[in-house]
Amino acid sequence: MIFDIASETMPREQLEALQLRRLKDLCGRVYANVPFYKKKFDDLGISPADVRSLSDLTLLPFTEKQDLRNHYPFGMFAVPKDNVVRIHASSGTTGKSTVVGYTRRDIKNWAELMARSFTAAGAGPKDVIHVAYGYGLFTGGLGAHYGGERLGATVVPISGGATRRQVMLLRDFGATVLCCTPSYSLHLYEAALESGIDFNELPLRVGVFGAEPWTEEMRRDIEQKMGIKAIDIYGLSEIMGPGVGIECVQTQSGPHLMEDHFLAEIIDPETGDPAPPGATGELVITTLTKEAQPLIRYRTRDITSLDATPCKCGRTFARMKRVTGRSDDMLIIRGVNVFPSQIESILLETDGLTPHYQLVVSREGSLDNLDVMVEVDEKIFSDEIKAMQRIEGKIQKTIKEFLGVTAKVKLVEPRGIQRSEGKAQRIVDKRGK
Ligand code: DLL
């Protein structure tokens, strides 16, 4: 079943005509109501009337996270504050957090898109949705919550944390859909086992997992352990929150972007030029319908590619490749570019290792060092030291071979890596900036 069948299966020409109509309207709105955009347009010598086709998008200015910070907290709003009914903000590890506002219609659209997302993941009104994304300024909890209610499902607003109790309620309330970060799902699974609860014996069917990068190997691990379908959901607070894109359960081949509401481009992150069709680069999103805080060509820093070929599920929306990481998370180790997800893939291909790992980067003189700390399972841990050393050596070799970087691998005892209740912290950078 497709939730909003008319929108999600629209022929691409019709979709593009809708996008163009909405883009023109958007340009008019931001030019009239957001001084930041008026100035940007004026400086570039363009006016909203110059947008005549979708390819004119490239005439328009980019928006960066720093622009949002510079206009903290409400300087990017396109409507009077009285019309804003909700505020969210991203945590931001450095500096000011970025603030997002929503009108009543923005909230309604978001709930629609999240209801669509649940449907794509194979959920429906009969489901019990356990929302273990954090509630609060983070968009995960409330985003999933409103979408689940819009769908007509039963929503359990448990939020993150209190893991042992969560597991009990997951069982007692008969959750069929679990929403949280992939890393927290593993934490829940372990806590369940410790309490004598096996996920495989619960009615749980589907996981709607996102908010952090994860790999295909991690998906396989989760699906196998928990006996569920693990679906990748993508989003970012600046654009809306979760539900900017989601995989369909039929193919699980990367999130379908909700293209009637978001216009996506891939650019070369170095030059800002459009990337050739199908190429990998930085995802840039224009919000077509957002009222409170519309953004033009927002640079997500997420690295992916787009595929608009037809999907077996019937949706015509393009699919994005699993986000392998933000360009900000890319490590440069002695001149070699490495994404944590590339290391994750290698670790999870190795027997005896768990999906709990951390990358520690330090500097010795002018040289960068990369330490890969990864937890082993009980079985390996009880083996002799030599066996552990053999594994360390093997992974080191594979990392060197595939990624071209020298890393020191250190196996850690079971539960030796700290668990997170939200986004996992994979990188500890001790280099100081
Ligand atoms: O993480 C929104 C969200 C909540 C998405 C729940 C999915 C589920 P932010 O905290 O603003 O918003 O972080 C957004 O997280 O730019 C990506 O780098 C990363 N991210 C989000 N979803 C995925 C995903 C929420 N499925 C940033 N795969 C984004 C990889 C993801 N990275």
Side-chain angles (χ1 to χ4, degrees):
M1 207 265 289
I2 292 181
F3 182 78
D4 178 357
I5 198 157
S7 307
E8 291 184 74
T9 61
M10 208 184 294
R12 297 237 16 127
E13 311 83 75
Q14 198 182 326
L15 174 65
E16 283 165 17
L18 174 70
Q19 288 179 323
L20 179 60
R21 219 166 45 241
R22 289 183 166 170
L23 178 65
K24 287 179 175 173
D25 172 68
L26 167 75
C27 289
R29 281 189 290 127
V30 298
Y31 190 79
N33 300 312
V34 186
F36 164 79
Y37 281 121
K38 179 173 186 318
K39 180 163 187 320
K40 283 259 178 183
F41 277 50
D42 289 347
D43 288 350
L44 288 167
I46 52 169
S47 91
D50 292 328
V51 176
R52 295 189 192 89
S53 72
L54 283 182
S55 57
D56 291 332
L57 188 63
T58 54
L59 302 174
L60 303 177
F62 288 118
T63 310
E64 310 240 11
K65 199 181 192 89
Q66 192 56 41
D67 296 321
L68 299 180
R69 292 212 174 108
N70 293 346
H71 295 85
Y72 175 88
F74 303 144
M76 296 288 278
F77 283 5
V79 297
K81 213 170 105 265
D82 282 1
N83 297 2
V84 173
V85 299
R86 174 103 63 88
I87 303 281
H88 280 283
S90 76
S91 45
T93 40
T94 52
K96 282 181 193 156
S97 47
T98 41
V99 177
V100 203
Y102 304 77
T103 63
R104 201 174 292 285
R105 181 173 304 155
D106 291 335
I107 295 288
K108 183 169 167 281
N109 283 340
W110 186 13
E112 283 292 313
L113 294 187
M114 274 307 293
R116 279 190 196 175
S117 300
F118 281 125
T119 313
K126 290 194 169 46
D127 278 297
V128 176
I129 305 183
H130 182 102
V131 181
Y133 285 119
Y135 279 64
L137 287 175
F138 176 57
T139 50
L142 284 165
H145 184 105
Y146 274 61
E149 287 190 351
R150 172 67 187 86
L151 184 67
T154 308
V155 177
V156 181
I158 194 100
S159 194
T163 304
R164 284 199 167 232
R165 179 162 166 269
Q166 270 280 329
V167 166
M168 252 167 51
L169 298 183
L170 188 83
R171 178 195 60 194
D172 297 348
F173 296 170
T176 49
V177 179
L178 169 63
C179 301
C180 60
T181 56
S183 55
Y184 191 54
S185 79
L186 285 162
H187 186 16
L188 281 170
Y189 171 78
E190 287 173 345
L193 282 184
E194 280 164 16
S195 316
I197 300 171
D198 182 355
F199 268 39
N200 285 284
E201 285 159 16
L202 302 179
L204 196 66
R205 290 186 291 116
V206 181
V208 177
F209 299 143
E212 67 185 8
W214 53 313
T215 55
E216 217 36 56
E217 289 79 8
M218 174 84 98
R219 173 180 2 234
R220 254 183 269 135
D221 188 61
I222 291 176
E223 291 194 330
Q224 204 186 17
K225 279 187 174 138
M226 305 183 195
I228 62 172
K229 282 266 182 197
I231 302 291
D232 191 12
I233 183 163
Y234 173 78
L236 61 166
S237 21
E238 293 87 334
I239 295 301
M240 178 176 82
V244 174
I246 187 150
E247 281 182 331
C248 56
V249 67
Q250 289 85 352
T251 68
Q252 292 181 285
S253 54
H256 284 279
L257 279 166
M258 303 292 180
E259 288 188 281
D260 49 344
H261 291 266
F262 307 109
L263 191 53
E265 306 165 74
I266 300 290
I267 61 161
D268 176 334
E270 300 296 322
T271 60
D273 293 337
T280 298
E282 180 182 338
L283 177 67
V284 171
I285 300 180
T286 299
T287 64
L288 292 172
T289 52
K290 279 274 288 286
E291 289 182 336
Q293 194 172 319
L295 296 180
I296 291 196
R297 304 190 83 200
Y298 183 69
R299 295 193 55 163
T300 66
R301 305 279 164 194
D302 289 328
I303 304 298
T304 181
S305 61
L306 297 179
D307 175 6
T309 56
C311 179
K312 283 203 197 92
C313 73
R315 287 177 180 78
T316 46
F317 294 159
R319 278 164 288 170
M320 58 190 270
K321 257 243 169 58
R322 180 185 271 297
V323 169
T324 46
R326 298 173 74 84
S327 51
D328 313 358
D329 284 345
M330 190 179 74
L331 295 170
I332 305 180
I333 308 292
R334 303 190 184 184
V336 183
N337 299 347
V338 189
F339 278 111
S341 56
Q342 293 175 303
I343 296 200
E344 179 178 304
S345 295
I346 292 174
L347 297 178
L348 288 182
E349 295 269 281
T350 314
D351 275 349
L353 299 190
T354 72
H356 307 288
Y357 67 94
Q358 214 160 38
L359 310 181
V360 182
V361 192
S362 55
R363 181 165 289 156
E364 214 179 286
S366 60
L367 286 181
D368 294 328
N369 288 327
L370 173 62
D371 290 333
V372 177
M373 324 280 285
V374 57
E375 241 179 74
V376 292
D377 63 19
E378 296 285 352
K379 192 176 149 296
I380 299 282
F381 190 58
S382 58
D383 274 357
E384 49 187 296
I385 304 261
K386 270 226 174 79
M388 304 253 288
Q389 284 172 341
R390 250 198 322 273
I391 299 178
E392 286 174 348
K394 190 174 141 230
I395 308 167
Q396 251 159 240
K397 201 161 149 252
T398 315
I399 292 177
K400 178 79 191 169
E401 216 168 275
F402 284 92
L403 308 179
V405 61
T406 306
K408 199 147 131 238
V409 175
K410 192 156 180 289
L411 303 187
V412 177
E413 79 276 7
R415 305 204 60 84
I417 303 266
Q418 211 194 339
R419 302 290 183 266
S420 109
E421 290 169 356
K423 297 177 192 256
Q425 207 205 337
R426 303 291 192 201
I427 303 175
V428 180
D429 198 334
K430 295 182 167 165
R431 287 177 294 189
K433 291 270 148 65

